[in-house]
Amino acid sequence: MMSRETSFSPGSSLYRPPAQFFRGCLGRFATGVAVVTFDAATKRHGLTVNSFTAVSMDPPLVLVSIQRTVRSHDLLAGRPFAVNVLGAEQEALAMNFAGRPTPEGAPTWVEGGHAPRLAGVLSWFDCTPWAAYDGGDHTLFLGEVREFDYRSGDALGFVNGQFSTIHESAQGHESLF
């Protein structure tokens, strides 16, 4: 295990650039897995993300961070989109939208109110564009949530470069009402 106290010079075969260590540090933070879906002028698109978060309850806003080098990055700007949070059993669907399609990962589409979404996901958020911000090599797309829903089940997680299961262990806060 490498620590920040251990370093190797750039000439060493054991040298790892700082960016690799930064990525490794970030990889220790477990996240959920989602697919952002939207319609562009000529084609339906989807891309797997693990950088998704709530921003505001009033108005309801969510954020997805999309790398600028992704082919569909420029097509998303100014378009309604859906964020589809995947269930633990939907790893093939995640891989499909990460550019590694398999027959098991073929999507079933649902026509949403503002953007297309995926059938059978753990939860979904139908969004209209709110703002986009420069985030270095990413763009931070904020969407205003117009419709949303969820189902029970375990979530698909991602940590240390691998998929994992985030178990549904307790009732949500809505059971208090």
Side-chain angles (χ1 to χ4, degrees), residues 1 4 8 24 33 38 51-53 59 66-67 72 78 103 105 111 124 128 134-135 137 143 162 173:
M1 179 169 131
R4 56 188 161 107
F8 297 95
V33 180
F38 63 97
S51 186
F52 161 68
T53 190
I66 308 294
Q67 188 172 7
S72 55
E111 297 306 318
W124 55 267
T128 55
D134 177 27
D137 61 359
Q162 297 181 8
H173 72 277

Side-chain angles (χ1 to χ4, degrees), residues 105-116:
T108 301
W109 295 96
V110 174
E111 297 306 318
H114 298 91

Side-chain angles (χ1 to χ4, degrees), residues 25-92:
C25 286
L26 293 172
R28 274 30 180 209
F29 183 70
T31 67
V33 180
V35 174
V36 175
T37 53
F38 63 97
D39 280 332
T42 61
K43 186 178 173 191
R44 183 158 282 176
H45 293 269
L47 59 151
T48 301
V49 301
N50 69 338
S51 186
F52 161 68
T53 190
V55 174
S56 171
M57 293 294 288
D58 187 17
L61 300 175
V62 296
L63 176 148
V64 292
S65 178
I66 308 294
Q67 188 172 7
R68 291 182 189 277
T69 58
V70 172
R71 286 179 293 180
S72 55
H73 170 275
D74 293 343
L75 301 173
L76 180 57
R79 295 192 185 280
F81 62 91
V83 179
N84 303 268
V85 177
L86 301 186
E89 73 285 359
Q90 295 177 310
E91 184 176 327

Side-chain angles (χ1 to χ4, degrees), residues 69-148:
T69 58
V70 172
R71 286 179 293 180
S72 55
H73 170 275
D74 293 343
L75 301 173
L76 180 57
R79 295 192 185 280
F81 62 91
V83 179
N84 303 268
V85 177
L86 301 186
E89 73 285 359
Q90 295 177 310
E91 184 176 327
L93 191 59
M95 294 304 292
N96 180 74
F97 288 105
R100 296 184 199 105
T102 64
E104 303 84 42
T108 301
W109 295 96
V110 174
E111 297 306 318
H114 298 91
R117 61 181 198 272
L118 301 170
V121 296
L122 193 60
S123 66
W124 55 267
F125 304 86
D126 188 12
C127 303
T128 55
W130 178 267
Y133 299 101
D134 177 27
D137 61 359
H138 284 62
T139 299
L140 310 177
F141 291 100
L142 272 70
E144 183 174 11
V145 178
R146 299 301 185 142
E147 296 179 54
F148 55 93

Side-chain angles (χ1 to χ4, degrees), residues 142-161:
L142 272 70
E144 183 174 11
V145 178
R146 299 301 185 142
E147 296 179 54
F148 55 93
D149 203 359
Y150 71 98
R151 65 170 171 85
S152 296
D154 295 338
L156 183 61
F158 194 75
V159 65
N160 289 332

